[in-house]
Each structure stands twice: as C-alpha cells, then as structure tokens.
Amino acid sequence: MCPGCRGSFQCCGQTVRIAALSQTLDSPLSEILLITISGEDHPGVTAGVTAILAQHRVNILDIGQAVIHATLSMGILIELPAGVDREAVTAAVDAQAEAQGMRVKVSPVASVAYDEWIQAQGRARYIITLLARKITADQLARVTEVVSRHNLNIDSINRLSGRIPLGELPALSKACVEFSVRGPLADSSAFRRDLLEVAGALDVDLAFQEDNMFRRNRRLVAFDMDSTLIEAEVIDELAVHAGVGDQVSEITERAMRGELDFSESFRARVALLEGLGEEALERIAGELRITEGAEHLISTLRKLGYKTAILSGGFTYFARYLQQRLGIDYVHANELDIENGQVTGKVTGTIVDGERKAFLLRQLAEQEGLDLQQVIAVGDGANDLPMLSAAGLGIAFRAKPLVKQSAEQSISTLGLDAILYLLGFSDRYQSDH
C-alpha cells in the first residue's frame, strides 16, 4: 500500500484501487461519469486514457483495474468540472480506446447515487479466505450465496495462491481465494455458522475476520509443538519405546479431547516413562517429521520481522531441537527429569498446561511491546484453547472437533504456511521476499 494515498495499488493481475482521491465536487453543476474499459491487456492503456482526462482537467473519484489471463477490466469514476465539454471528453476516450483495440462504455452517475457511495465507505469490512487444494465453481457459488444471504457486498475477489497447471494437481498443491466484503452484519455468529457449514460440506477451510489495522500488523506467532509443528505426539513416541504405548495413548487422547485435566493426565503419562534411556530421546528427536508448510511459514515470518515461539505441553528436549532447526525465538515447555541417563518419571518446574500457555503468551507480548491483537496462536488440542482465545488471531490447526468448533479460525485442508494467506500475503509476495 502506498503510504501517500488512502487506498491500495496493485498491478500485474491484481486489483487496483485508489479511493477518494478527490472527495469534494467543484460545484453543483459538475457531472459524474463512470468509464469502463475492457479488452486485451497491453502497455499504455491506462496511460493513454488518463492523459486524455488530464487534458480536460478531470478529477478522479475512484479507479479500479484488474487483469485476468491477459484481459484488462478497468473502471474510472470521474468528475467533470463545470464548463468541461462532456461530449468532447467521451469522444476522445472512445477514440483512444478504439485505437488500442479496447471496448469502452461511459455511464452518467446521479449525485444521489454518488452520495450513497460516499456514505457507504464507513461500513464495516471483512475478509473471507477460502483455502483448498483446488478452487471450484461450486465452492465460490456456495460462499458468495452465504455473503448475499447476509446482505453483504463483495468489493473485490483476489487469488492469493499461484497459478495452477492443467491436469493432475502437483503434490501438496495450495489454492486460496480472498473475498473483501462490506456492509452491516446483523448476526456475525450466524454468518460464521453458515460459512462453517459450507466448509464442512465441501472439505475446504473458510476463515472470516474483520479487515482492521491489526490484520497485517501481527508481530508474534506462538505454536503448540506436538501435532502442530511436528506430525506426532512425542510422549506417545516415548511411550512406545518404553513399552507402555497403549496406556499412554489412551490417556493422551482423552486429555486432548478435554475429558481429563491436562496436568493430572500429564503426570500420569510421564510416570509411565520411568526407566526409559536417554538414547531413545535422541533417536526420536532425529526422526521427528516437521508438519507440512512449517519450515516455509517460519522462514517467511522471520524475513518479515515476526517473532516466533513454541508454547508446548510437551518437552523442552524436543522443543530445543526444533528451535535450532527452524529458528524459533522462544521456547517454553516441560522439563523432563533425567538422572544417570534415564527418565525418572517426573517433570521439574511448572507444568505448561492450557492456562500456563495463555499466561506465557501474554508475557511474551508484553516483553515484545505488542498488543495482544498483534499476536497469533496456533494449536490443535483442548489445552491450546486458552491461548487461542487470548491471541488476536487464534488458529486451530488440524484440530480435534472440540477445538475446531471453539477456535476463531481453523485450518485443516492445507499446511501451516496457509497462515500466510490469512495475513493477506500472496504466493507472489512471499516469493518476492
């Protein structure tokens, strides 16, 4: 976004919007016209038209431009000051467009309609992000039907993901479309519920968030570790090596579903690990599978100046390993007690449960001088809900049903780097940085 204007400017296939460059009409006798131009895109189209408008001292009230598959669509809302010959302006624009092989239409805009448009600029704006392996017409039809049913207007639709080749999809393909919508939302809970119903029916993810100043001003991302940054529950892996896999796995599942108190269940599981050799920890650490998209996400966040943290109910032994491998800034997890090369079945220090995670999240935000609205929290289990609720953006990632229903946002179809789409970063932007 250009800091010198109040809109945004994009090109090369992206939406152009420079709103309200001239907000005050020169006189009651001025005219308002909407010029729409379309055709095969090539250099000089916008320059040629705006040069003609400049010759006639025209004021630009709004301009929008998009290019899809080398086809340009552009709209310019103009004010003709009193004394400017409308026929001369439209004839010159027609001639310029025809010379460049473009189609043009000029429509008058009533002052009442213009006033209504001005008044609408104060309405709330929202972002809906559609995440899937591929985008289909059915998905767009279902989403836009929900938007229409709740009396919201779509201002723009942008594809954030890269171009997808024809034929068989590449492995781990990503597709994302972002809708910018506007209007008074009578019942946000009902709107979210309708979007979730569509997401469930179509096996996609639909994120819905207010389009405010914090959306692209997040600065800290805190991750759960097990089943979030890595594709495993480490304590279950340790239990297998200790020969108590079934016992620990059963307790883990009940705790993650919220059926058991985390701290109590955690101590019970750790106690079953007594006598496990330290060499098993080293072997498991070396075999940890990083979750899809995690490395790309964190490396991109680092380039963008974000801080990252692991807030885990797992063990610092493995969190430190991930910290070194991924470049994580902060780690808070449970300290597994080891004596004479063997696990004692105890943990030292304060157990990192759900409330502790939320406390640590607030502490890190204060330490970094951040508002909680600038913080993102990502997790999959019931013990992650407190920090997901505390963060400005809480994301349930491939989460248990209870967590998915309770969290503000949910990602299940793509990898962790889909979070970048929720922040509004396109694939092209990511590759440029």
Side-chain angles (χ1 to χ4, degrees), residues 46 51 54 71 140 145 159 167 202 229 237 250 311 376 379 409:
T46 306
T71 299
L140 299 183
E145 189 279 328
R159 172 177 52 84
L202 300 180
L229 278 178
E237 300 295 322
E250 181 182 354
L311 303 182
I376 301 171
Q409 309 295 348

Side-chain angles (χ1 to χ4, degrees), residues 249-262:
S249 181
E250 181 182 354
I251 299 173
T252 298
E253 281 300 313
R254 293 181 64 193
M256 297 302 283
R257 291 196 300 265
E259 297 174 5
L260 295 174
D261 171 76
F262 178 82

Side-chain angles (χ1 to χ4, degrees), residues 1 15 57 68 83 105 130 156 171 184 220 231 243 245 247 276 281 285 302 328 363 377 380 411 431:
M1 181 179 290
T15 301
R57 304 187 310 281
I68 298 179
K105 179 181 178 182
L130 168 62
S156 64
L220 170 66
E231 296 182 348
Q247 296 166 263
L276 180 65
L281 277 69
R302 290 179 64 191
I328 301 288
Q363 188 178 68
D380 74 300
I411 296 176
S431 64

Side-chain angles (χ1 to χ4, degrees), residues 148-309:
S148 175
R149 188 169 3 119
H150 286 266
N151 297 313
L152 296 175
N153 292 323
I154 298 175
D155 280 342
S156 64
I157 303 175
N158 292 314
R159 172 177 52 84
L160 299 186
S161 51
R163 298 173 183 175
I164 298 177
L166 295 176
E168 186 177 351
L169 289 174
L172 303 180
S173 64
K174 300 184 296 182
C176 175
V177 171
E178 178 186 273
F179 303 79
S180 176
V181 302
R182 166 180 48 83
L185 189 56
D187 189 340
S188 60
S189 296
F191 186 69
R192 285 182 183 276
R193 187 167 58 248
D194 289 348
L195 286 178
L196 286 175
E197 183 178 332
V198 170
L202 300 180
D203 194 26
V204 300
D205 292 320
L206 285 169
F208 170 66
Q209 53 187 313
E210 187 177 352
D211 190 8
N212 57 31
M213 69 176 188
F214 291 112
R215 180 171 176 249
R216 297 196 187 189
N217 194 32
R218 319 284 186 187
R219 284 295 175 263
L220 170 66
V221 187
F223 299 92
D224 174 45
M225 179 173 66
D226 295 32
S227 296
T228 299
L229 278 178
I230 57 175
E231 296 182 348
E233 291 287 333
V234 169
I235 196 168
D236 291 346
E237 300 295 322
L238 293 172
V240 170
H241 281 76
V244 292
D246 291 342
Q247 296 166 263
V248 168
S249 181
E250 181 182 354
I251 299 173
T252 298
E253 281 300 313
R254 293 181 64 193
M256 297 302 283
R257 291 196 300 265
E259 297 174 5
L260 295 174
D261 171 76
F262 178 82
S263 295
E264 182 180 354
S265 66
F266 183 71
R267 287 191 176 92
R269 287 176 287 172
V270 173
L272 292 171
L273 302 179
E274 183 179 0
L276 180 65
E278 190 173 4
E279 68 278 1
L281 277 69
E282 184 177 354
R283 186 180 312 117
I284 291 171
E287 296 172 353
L288 290 177
R289 292 183 57 186
I290 305 297
T291 298
E292 175 194 351
E295 291 175 292
H296 175 226
L297 169 63
I298 292 173
S299 65
T300 303
L301 291 174
R302 290 179 64 191
K303 291 175 184 177
L304 294 172
Y306 284 66
K307 294 291 186 178
T308 55

Side-chain angles (χ1 to χ4, degrees), residues 332-344:
H332 292 279
N334 296 301
E335 196 68 48
L336 187 61
D337 188 46
I338 299 174
E339 290 183 3
N340 301 320
Q342 291 187 326
V343 174
T344 67

